[in-house]
């Protein structure tokens, strides 16, 4: 806890003494950003959430609307399913993401529409089998799934 300003001492003198004492103790020697130029955004208009945005950038976080986050999760799940070691795991991955997609279709959140239909588990399993056997296209082309949507085939997933 900081010490209280003694009575009769001007505020400026008391603050200056505290800064001087901290410098002598070396409290300012290893501060982050020491010796670096000031950030470029000093001229930008004031944003109340500037510290939240900086923290998120430092931590590598991003916030997407729920529909876009689920769309990315669905695409990642499809890629993971194609790379799965067993049919049981493929079915589990696709079934889990389908539950989330159906929930969002039934009660959509605010934001852009999801733009996804639930995956056809049997079709994904069939494509997974083709990839395992080496019969599927490895050129990154797209194939239509049984629900009428496009199933993207990535080169990295097919080369595993």
């Amino acid at each position: 806890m900081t010490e209280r300003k003694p009575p009769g001492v001007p505020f400026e003198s008391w603050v200056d003494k505290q800064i001087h004492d901290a410098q002598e103790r070396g409290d300012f020697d290893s501060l982050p950003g020491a010796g670096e130029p000031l950030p470029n955004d000093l001229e930008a208009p004031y944003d109340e959430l500037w510290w939240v945005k900086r923290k998120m950038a430092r931590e590598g976080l991003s916030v997407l609307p729920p529909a876009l986050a689920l769309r990315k999760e669905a695409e990642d799940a499809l890629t993971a399913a194609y790379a799965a070691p067993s049919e049981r795991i493929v079915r589990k991955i696709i079934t889990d993401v389908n539950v989330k997609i159906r929930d969002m279709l039934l009660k959509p959140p605010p934001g852009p529409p999801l733009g996804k239909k639930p995956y056809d588990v049997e079709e994904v399993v069939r494509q997974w089998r083709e990839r395992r056997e080496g019969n599927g296209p490895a050129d990154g082309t797209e194939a239509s799934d049984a629900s009428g949507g496009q199933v993207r085939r990535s080169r990295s997933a097919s080369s595993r």
Side-chain angles (χ1 to χ4, degrees):
M1 186 161 149
T2 60
E3 61 185 76
R4 291 180 142 326
K5 180 180 91 53
V9 176
F11 187 75
E12 290 82 13
S13 299
W14 180 71
V15 170
D16 288 338
K17 180 185 178 314
Q18 296 237 325
I19 292 171
H20 184 270
D21 291 348
Q23 284 175 329
E24 286 181 354
R25 286 191 309 264
D27 291 349
F28 301 128
D29 292 347
S30 61
L31 290 176
E36 296 177 12
L38 292 173
N40 292 335
D41 58 357
L42 291 178
E43 301 297 321
Y46 180 71
D47 180 8
E48 292 179 2
L49 298 176
W50 65 268
W51 62 276
V52 173
K53 292 176 183 173
R54 279 197 191 156
K55 175 72 172 170
M56 290 177 66
R58 243 188 347 262
E59 299 291 328
L61 301 173
S62 66
V63 176
L64 292 174
L68 294 179
L70 182 56
R71 178 181 286 194
K72 178 165 179 13
E73 184 180 345
E75 290 171 1
D76 292 346
L78 190 60
T79 302
Y82 288 146
S86 71
E87 183 176 322
R88 181 184 60 79
I89 295 173
V90 173
R91 290 180 184 279
K92 171 141 180 46
I93 291 170
I94 297 301
T95 302
D96 290 348
V97 79
N98 278 348
V99 168
K100 293 178 182 179
I101 291 172
R102 284 188 183 100
D103 286 347
M104 189 166 288
L105 290 173
L106 293 175
K107 47 186 177 206
L114 177 60
K116 281 258 181 235
K117 297 177 187 173
Y119 294 116
D120 181 346
V121 176
E122 296 304 319
E123 178 64 20
V124 173
V125 169
R126 184 190 62 73
Q127 290 176 4
W128 172 81
R129 284 184 186 142
E130 286 177 3
R131 288 167 180 256
R132 302 264 309 180
E133 295 167 1
N135 297 337
D139 60 356
T141 59
E142 293 184 355
S144 177
D145 69 6
S147 65
Q150 293 293 314
V151 176
R152 178 179 291 158
R153 294 176 186 241
S154 67
R155 290 182 186 153
S156 61
S158 62
S159 62
R160 291 182 188 160

